[in-house]
Amino acid sequence: AQKITQTQPGMFVQEKEAVTLDCTYDTSDQSYGLFWYKQPSSGEMIFLIYQGSYDEQNATEGRYSLNFQKARKSANLVISASQLGDSAMYFCAIGGTSYGKLTFGQGTILTVHP
Amino acid sequence: GAVVSQHPSWVICKSGTSVKIECRSLDFQATTMFWYRQFPKQSLMLMATSNEGSKATYEQGVEKDKFLINHASLTLSTLTVTSAHPEDSSFYICSARERQGGARSYEQYFGPGTRLTVT
């Protein structure tokens, strides 16, 4: 079984500041992957970043980085230098080799203030 | 690469009619496609998983006869909402998985979604 927990329904951040969105997970798979998606008001799911369970280094993609702590089963997303366009809903998801599906968290609505 | 399209992007239909939503993988062959439903400010809820040439596997609580899924080719899956009612109004998103096995084999590419309103 797989489970993702996002405990922050909403987050606020000032423009140009950094923000961390929390994600904890549970899985019975040894090999799995963690994904973060951004969903703006238009509804499209935009892939942000991926972390494999065996990756030794934390993933980074531009202003996005993933703080992966395997022992704590957490995969927090860090957005540096927030922009107004970052205001959206963010989903953490997990996929594993045995389960075949992605399991999503409840999502966090991020609002960036000017 | 890995682009998934959905058509239509939005649709309004009358109660009791059926509506079909198409999901296409444009530049890859999708061994598996997924259909999700999403209500405002909520997470994606998986409705069903479809593999090309075989019957879809529905999640618990999803009515098979109401939400007909066909995965006729490696690039096309369709969702038909039959005898739609206002409570079926929602945002429907499809996704596609390119390959089995290997790293990131469970990665999915998402379509832009279809907003269905039943009046």
Side-chain angles (χ1 to χ4, degrees), chain A residues 32-33 39 50 100-101 105, chain B residues 38 43 46 59 91 97 104 106:
Chain A
Y32 54 88
Q39 188 180 42
Y50 165 84
K101 309 173 190 177
Chain B
Q38 186 183 30
S43 188
L46 180 64
E59 295 297 302
F91 190 58
R97 193 167 69 199
R104 299 178 69 163
Y106 28 79

Side-chain angles (χ1 to χ4, degrees), chain B residues 15-70:
Chain B
S15 188
T17 62
S18 296
V19 61
K20 180 186 283 189
I21 302 169
E22 289 188 352
C23 177
R24 294 182 185 271
S25 56
L26 298 185
D27 51 2
F28 66 99
Q29 292 186 327
T31 55
T32 307
M33 286 185 167
F34 303 86
W35 287 95
Y36 296 86
R37 184 175 182 176
Q38 186 183 30
F39 292 106
K41 291 187 169 51
Q42 294 189 22
S43 188
L44 280 69
M45 182 185 77
L46 180 64
M47 299 174 66
T49 303
S50 74
N51 293 295
E52 185 262 341
S54 61
K55 288 184 179 180
T57 302
Y58 290 81
E59 295 297 302
Q60 195 170 9
V62 177
E63 297 176 61
K64 301 178 184 182
D65 296 332
K66 182 164 190 61
F67 299 100
L68 301 179
I69 291 170
N70 184 278

Side-chain angles (χ1 to χ4, degrees), chain A residues 80-99:
Chain A
S80 64
S82 296
Q83 301 172 356
L84 296 178
D86 293 334
S87 294
M89 192 146 184
Y90 289 79
F91 291 100
C92 180
I94 186 169
T97 50
S98 66
Y99 199 48

